[in-house]
Amino acid sequence: MGEERNANAESLMRSAKQWLRAFSNGNGKDDPNRPRVGLALAGGFARGIAHIGVLRVFREAGIPIDMVAGTSVGALIGAAYCAGASLEAMEMLARDTKFTDFGRWTPSWLGLATNLRLEQYLSRLTPAKNFEELQTPLAIAATDINAGLPVYYYRKGPIGPPLRASCAYPGLFVPIQHEERTLVDGFLTALVPYEGLLLMGAEVVIAAYLEPGLGGNPRTFTDVLSRSFTIIQKHSDLEWRRYADVIIEPDVTPYAWDDFSKTHEMVRAGEAAAMQVLPAIRTVIEAKRKKPEES
């Protein structure tokens, strides 16, 4: 069974690379008529490590990514990727990550901890501090808790405050004050931040969603909180699915929200899910490719 899966994966990758050569006319140059491809990375705390596997398959298969939009951990991985950080360095850092690397317990009426250390955590992967420094355009989704609406940050300005806001899980982390807004985790209003891609001009939307699952009995207050939000999401209208051209759903349900020790397994889950959608991505890109007379 394992050999059959490996053979299937090799076949998918080989087919993707053959398509890429044909798509670039064999000279390695991108087709100017190709639609702009955006990747939306959902939140999921430690489970977001699976996004690294998705990005690795895209890199190996030559799938173009013209822009990224991220929510919560998707924003963190997106920021590192768009700044040019290596996927291998990201995986190594994830494997050694612990809560105190990005959070500090400071109980208050607004939350149990602050995530100010998140900016320093990102600096371990890239020195980039502003959107203007990124190699690939990025949009970060946060939630204005007073207006109850999503807010997207992109193009210019500091990365740190929007990133911290996007990762400010309600109840766990205190809200972030930025540009006269009170901001919390983007997953409340932009579970999969497809709108950020549309704002930047994406013509193909690839969504990477992390189904959290419910698991066993909750162990802590944060488990209860996380489980409650998960249940709400399961019963809500997932509008983002209507706008996604391709959906990638790594199987991360066996893993706890804070279990960084399973980094290897979650990366492999991301790779497996991305492999399966390579044909669908090629089909969508070809279908939306501009004809010469339209360009």
Side-chain angles (χ1 to χ4, degrees):
M1 181 67 75
E3 293 180 357
E4 182 179 340
R5 282 199 298 269
N6 289 336
N8 183 48
E10 290 176 5
S11 175
L12 287 171
M13 190 67 74
R14 186 165 54 250
S15 176
K17 290 181 177 180
Q18 290 172 350
W19 168 80
L20 178 66
R21 285 195 294 271
F23 205 62
S24 61
N25 299 316
N27 58 14
K29 295 182 179 179
D30 202 5
D31 189 330
N33 297 315
R34 175 180 65 76
R36 301 184 71 200
V37 180
L39 176 63
L41 301 176
F45 216 80
R47 299 183 185 102
I49 293 169
H51 290 323
I52 298 173
V54 171
L55 289 165
R56 179 173 291 157
V57 167
F58 283 12
R59 181 187 67 186
E60 296 302 316
I63 299 298
I65 301 176
D66 298 302
M67 62 201 71
V68 176
T71 290
S72 197
V73 67
L76 173 61
I77 291 177
Y81 173 80
C82 290
S86 84
L87 299 176
E88 288 68 33
M90 291 164 65
E91 182 175 355
M92 288 180 60
L93 181 60
R95 188 170 55 239
D96 297 330
T97 293
K98 53 187 181 298
F99 180 84
T100 52
D101 288 330
F102 52 84
R104 182 168 65 89
W105 296 110
T106 55
S108 73
W109 290 111
L110 296 177
L112 299 177
T114 173
N115 65 2
L116 182 61
R117 292 175 179 173
L118 189 60
E119 295 187 40
Q120 183 178 358
Y121 183 84
L122 178 63
S123 71
R124 295 164 68 178
L125 292 167
T126 173
K129 296 186 180 300
N130 297 292
F131 284 93
E132 297 93 324
E133 300 175 66
L134 300 177
Q135 298 175 14
T136 302
L138 169 72
I140 292 178
T143 298
D144 183 326
I145 198 168
N146 292 324
L149 295 171
V151 182
Y152 285 93
Y153 295 91
Y154 61 108
R155 289 183 181 167
K156 63 181 181 179
I159 297 171
L163 175 61
R164 291 174 52 219
S166 188
C167 297
Y169 200 86
L172 176 58
F173 293 113
V174 296
I176 306 301
Q177 300 296 325
H178 182 58
E179 295 184 347
E180 300 184 355
R181 293 180 183 271
T182 301
L183 303 169
V184 295
D185 203 309
F187 87 90
L188 291 174
T189 53
L191 183 62
V192 179
Y194 71 91
E195 291 173 307
L197 298 179
L198 299 180
L199 286 170
M200 293 189 293
E203 297 165 293
V204 172
V205 173
I206 302 173
Y209 172 64
L210 305 171
E211 169 62 55
L214 293 177
N217 291 325
R219 302 162 297 164
T220 64
F221 161 78
T222 50
D223 283 348
V224 173
L225 194 63
S226 175
R227 190 74 54 82
S228 299
F229 281 124
T230 295
I231 292 171
I232 292 172
Q233 289 171 12
K234 282 180 174 292
H235 293 277
S236 64
D237 177 25
L238 302 181
E239 183 182 23
W240 63 268
R241 288 187 180 272
R242 296 195 295 111
Y243 289 89
D245 294 294
V246 178
I247 299 175
I248 305 171
E249 300 189 71
D251 182 10
V252 291
T253 55
Y255 311 113
W257 66 277
D258 59 347
D259 191 357
F260 292 95
S261 70
K262 297 296 191 298
T263 287
H264 178 80
E265 292 88 336
M266 288 186 279
V267 169
R268 296 299 170 266
E271 291 176 344
M275 283 280 193
Q276 294 303 313
V277 300
L278 287 179
I281 293 173
R282 294 199 306 270
T283 298
V284 170
I285 291 177
E286 289 284 6
K288 293 194 175 186
R289 182 185 180 195
K290 299 172 185 174
K291 297 178 181 178
E293 59 270 20
E294 297 175 345
S295 59

